[in-house]
Amino acid sequence: MKIAVYPGSFDPFTIGHLDVLKNAAGLFDSVYVAVLNNSAKSPVFSVEERVEMIDRMIESEGFQNVRAGSFAGLLVDYAKQIGAQYIIRGLRAITDFEYEFQIDAVNRHLNPEIRTVYFMANPAHSFLSSSNVREIGEMGGSIEGLVPHCNYDYLRERLARQK
Ligand code: ADP
């Protein structure tokens, strides 16, 4: 059974993330979307809120082999715990590549048996990041089409309050 973990801050989960997830869900038997619980990043959304939004997205997209969870500490330890042999990441631009290149080297050092698989961003979403969504939403712009439809109303209200 090929199990993959798709880790990230997902603060919040966007349709760019969804695109990567669709590719991964088609390729692996089981995919865990894992929210990184890292208070040093000062996220806008709590881990519980982020997992809840991802759960809603999984249900609304009808994914049968995707689950949401969260982790703190080393990703390779979490991967081992859930039996994942693969890590999924998305690449938008050269800046992502440099960062991912370093992280991959560290993860290989920590656990050489775990491989990372990368999906290129859909060009239509290559500009899209969680921080774009937060900024647009906080300034009252439309985030429709940038986040999964099932989370749109919740995010719109929540970000408007955040301002
Ligand atoms: P992190 O803080 O771990 O980078 P993010 O939530 O920003 O977490 O992103 C998680 C993963 O999804 C990363 O590999 C990132 O490059 C990828 N990603 C983010 N936005 C997009 C997008 N629009 N298209 C494709 N991949 C993306």
Side-chain angles (χ1 to χ4, degrees):
M1 179 123 152
K2 291 200 185 313
I3 303 174
V5 55
Y6 181 24
S9 307
F10 304 121
D11 188 36
F13 192 94
T14 69
I15 55 154
H17 295 130
L18 179 57
D19 191 54
V20 169
L21 180 61
K22 281 182 179 166
N23 288 320
L27 205 57
F28 294 94
D29 297 309
S30 173
V31 180
Y32 286 79
V33 181
V35 173
L36 172 63
N37 187 350
N38 179 358
S39 52
K41 274 205 161 187
S42 320
V44 165
F45 297 95
S46 70
V47 170
E48 292 73 23
E49 280 180 294
R50 285 179 274 162
V51 170
E52 215 168 278
M53 285 189 275
I54 294 168
D55 270 334
R56 206 179 297 141
M57 173 282 300
I58 291 171
E59 196 178 330
S60 127
E61 291 291 325
F63 284 120
Q64 297 297 315
N65 61 341
V66 177
R67 261 181 270 177
S70 67
F71 72 104
L74 290 175
L75 172 61
V76 291
D77 290 343
Y78 179 70
K80 202 167 177 188
Q81 191 191 313
I82 59 174
Q85 311 94 332
Y86 300 92
I87 295 168
I88 305 296
R89 297 289 287 174
L91 293 174
R92 282 161 297 184
I94 287 291
T95 44
D96 277 347
F97 177 82
E98 288 190 7
Y99 174 72
E100 297 296 338
F101 190 68
Q102 285 183 31
I103 299 288
D104 180 60
V106 171
N107 285 335
R108 276 176 194 247
H109 166 78
L110 294 170
N111 188 339
E113 283 167 16
I114 298 181
R115 282 286 167 268
T116 305
V117 176
Y118 303 89
F119 291 100
M120 282 292 175
N122 180 330
H125 309 146
S126 59
F127 71 97
L128 184 57
S129 65
S130 299
S131 60
N132 285 159
V133 168
R134 293 195 305 269
E135 272 174 34
I136 295 170
E138 284 173 20
M139 290 178 201
S142 171
I143 55 166
E144 194 165 7
L146 303 182
V147 296
H149 186 68
C150 61
N151 290 325
Y152 170 69
D153 285 335
Y154 176 80
L155 279 169
R156 191 172 49 101
E157 280 169 33
R158 180 69 170 69
L159 286 170
R161 258 193 286 135
Q162 186 70 27
K163 200 172 151 190

